[in-house]
Amino acid sequence: MLGAAIAATVFSSAAFAVDFHGYLRSGIGATSGGGDQACFQAAGAPAKYRLGNECETYAEVGFGAELYNQDERSFYLDTMIAYKSNQANDWEAALGDNGDDGNPYDNSVASVRQFNVQAKNVIDALPGATLWAGKRYYKRHDVHINDYYYWDLSGPGAGIEDIDLGFGKLALAWTRNTDGTWVYDGAGTGTNVANDTVDVRLGDLEVNKDGMLELGFDYGSANLSEIQRDDPGFEDQKGYLFTVEHTQGNWFGGFNKLALQYATDGMVGTGHNNSAAGDGDMFRLVDQGVVKLGANTEMMYVAIYEDKDLDAGNGQTWTSFGVRPVYNWNEVMSTALELGYDLVEPQGDGDDADLVKLTLAQQWSAGRSFWARPQLRAFVTYARWDGDVYNAASESIDMGEDDGLTFGFQVEAWW
């Protein structure tokens, strides 16, 4: 309903050229031995390797339009609604539609992911800069093959970007991520905690041939109300996140991206402050890229090391690496093999959890690039693990075995 209303509003004026953009993944799968498709993720790992290991229908539908353009000044409206369901049935109602009755088909959710306006060249002293406000995907940095967003300040906010300094471009933003009441209900207050983050980025720094540097500083703080400040159950958490990222173009026919991050206390995460985070610090290294291995072969790779050292002793180290080589048989058909490994080592008591996942997929794509989409896939996935493992399809832990086999078909597209 909401998506239809947005589309009707945007399309209602013939004066606007409408941009239609989005993303989807969906399909059907099963687990060897029977039952719905399982999706394997090491317990405590922030991500899982995706190919042949996604168990939901997920879609993002967006419409955008330039509402004004005069004298090189423009205002652009961007919108996006996201939908997710667990592929259980034809009709899957939103959570809570029929009450908390245990109905397995009440497992669909919808969310407003983006609704913002971007105004370019409206500040005469800053030509080329864009002023924005609203809810937005803000300069997200991720690893595609495991869908891991290691630097993500998305959400409601405001800012200004593309301030040309001559040697690089500056961006400033203020965003918010509000914790739910699960953080702490307080002494009868039962209120949420608003976490604010100020983001400063300096990018487009040319440091070597085909090499660009981006520097980031984020300060996050819990924005407690007066009642919350007087309640000892609420944490006035704050912290810092420093990021240095180098992107090397023309790297064996592709690119390499190396990110180093250091965070303290409430910013020990991927970007937003967390009022429930413990004191401590975090170091993270992410190295990823896509390279050509031959005329018909491309491969994406990633290596991640993350060390969270928390004063409460509940931190962990996470080591992950994965590769996805793709061989193109012709312009539309390819074969992909994805190998992913995750190891989670708790800081205190507790057993390590490690997981190896291997997927073979036959693919049909709209082109022969690694990034060509839409893409239809037939896949078979095998996983083996020690310690606890999540079935990401049902969010349950410890599948009671030490290996598993799944198979199925999937579509993935972006436009």
Side-chain angles (χ1 to χ4, degrees), residues 210 248-257 288-292 301:
D210 300 319
Q248 182 63 52
N250 196 24
W251 175 263
F252 297 99
F255 73 92
N256 182 80
K257 184 178 291 187
Q288 61 169 311
V290 174
V291 295
K292 279 188 171 293
Y301 60 88

Side-chain angles (χ1 to χ4, degrees), residues 123-271:
I123 301 178
D124 292 339
L126 300 174
T130 297
L131 188 67
W132 66 273
K135 199 168 188 181
R136 183 183 178 191
Y137 285 172
Y138 184 69
K139 298 184 180 297
R140 306 190 303 172
H141 291 239
D142 71 305
V143 180
H144 173 71
I145 59 175
N146 64 354
D147 211 24
Y148 178 54
Y149 287 82
Y150 56 92
W151 193 12
D152 187 4
L153 273 292
S154 299
I160 185 168
E161 59 188 356
D162 294 332
I163 301 173
D164 194 344
L165 302 180
F167 57 89
K169 291 188 177 180
L170 178 67
L172 308 171
W174 167 32
T175 65
R176 174 166 292 165
N177 178 40
T178 298
D179 291 334
T181 54
W182 58 267
V183 174
Y184 184 76
D185 286 342
T189 58
T191 55
N192 300 330
V193 178
N195 292 310
D196 292 334
T197 303
V198 176
D199 179 88
V200 182
R201 304 194 192 194
L202 181 60
D204 289 356
L205 300 171
E206 298 184 17
V207 292
N208 63 290
K209 180 176 173 56
D210 300 319
M212 307 293 287
L213 192 67
E214 183 173 8
L215 307 175
F217 169 75
D218 295 283
Y219 171 73
S221 176
N223 188 1
L224 300 183
S225 67
E226 183 175 350
I227 294 176
Q228 291 169 343
R229 287 195 297 270
D230 293 336
D231 190 326
F234 285 96
E235 293 290 338
D236 186 13
Q237 189 61 275
K238 56 181 63 70
Y240 303 91
L241 171 65
F242 301 90
T243 302
V244 178
E245 183 172 88
H246 179 267
T247 301
Q248 182 63 52
N250 196 24
W251 175 263
F252 297 99
F255 73 92
N256 182 80
K257 184 178 291 187
L258 173 64
L260 301 174
Q261 295 181 299
Y262 175 76
T264 65
D265 303 332
M267 294 298 288
V268 177
T270 59

Side-chain angles (χ1 to χ4, degrees), residues 248-312:
Q248 182 63 52
N250 196 24
W251 175 263
F252 297 99
F255 73 92
N256 182 80
K257 184 178 291 187
L258 173 64
L260 301 174
Q261 295 181 299
Y262 175 76
T264 65
D265 303 332
M267 294 298 288
V268 177
T270 59
H272 284 290
N273 184 71
N274 179 1
S275 66
D279 296 332
D281 60 8
M282 180 275 298
F283 170 76
R284 180 186 297 125
L285 179 151
V286 180
D287 187 58
Q288 61 169 311
V290 174
V291 295
K292 279 188 171 293
L293 301 179
N296 298 313
T297 307
E298 291 180 281
M299 182 180 75
M300 185 168 194
Y301 60 88
V302 63
I304 302 172
Y305 178 77
E306 178 185 274
D307 184 3
K308 292 183 179 180
D309 185 5
L310 302 181
D311 293 352

Side-chain angles (χ1 to χ4, degrees), residues 254-414:
F255 73 92
N256 182 80
K257 184 178 291 187
L258 173 64
L260 301 174
Q261 295 181 299
Y262 175 76
T264 65
D265 303 332
M267 294 298 288
V268 177
T270 59
H272 284 290
N273 184 71
N274 179 1
S275 66
D279 296 332
D281 60 8
M282 180 275 298
F283 170 76
R284 180 186 297 125
L285 179 151
V286 180
D287 187 58
Q288 61 169 311
V290 174
V291 295
K292 279 188 171 293
L293 301 179
N296 298 313
T297 307
E298 291 180 281
M299 182 180 75
M300 185 168 194
Y301 60 88
V302 63
I304 302 172
Y305 178 77
E306 178 185 274
D307 184 3
K308 292 183 179 180
D309 185 5
L310 302 181
D311 293 352
N314 58 343
Q316 65 177 34
T317 60
W318 172 45
T319 305
S320 180
F321 62 83
V323 293
R324 186 194 293 184
V326 178
Y327 181 82
N328 295 285
W329 298 95
N330 54 41
E331 293 301 312
V332 297
M333 187 173 71
S334 63
T335 301
L337 181 71
E338 183 176 271
L339 173 65
Y341 174 74
D342 290 290
L343 171 64
V344 178
E345 301 171 283
Q347 178 183 345
D349 295 335
D351 296 330
D352 297 349
D354 70 330
L355 171 71
V356 177
K357 191 229 63 159
L358 180 66
T359 298
L360 178 66
Q362 189 66 19
Q363 307 180 139
W364 293 267
S365 307
R368 61 188 294 133
S369 165
F370 181 90
W371 305 105
R373 302 294 187 275
Q375 188 172 84
L376 299 171
R377 304 166 177 146
F379 67 84
V380 58
T381 294
Y382 175 75
R384 185 172 183 84
W385 57 86
D386 290 316
D388 289 336
V389 63
Y390 281 112
N391 178 2
S394 61
E395 299 182 353
S396 62
I397 195 172
D398 191 355
M399 298 172 66
E401 303 287 347
D402 58 8
D403 67 349
L405 180 73
T406 63
F407 54 90
F409 297 87
Q410 187 192 45
V411 60
E412 183 180 42
W414 52 69

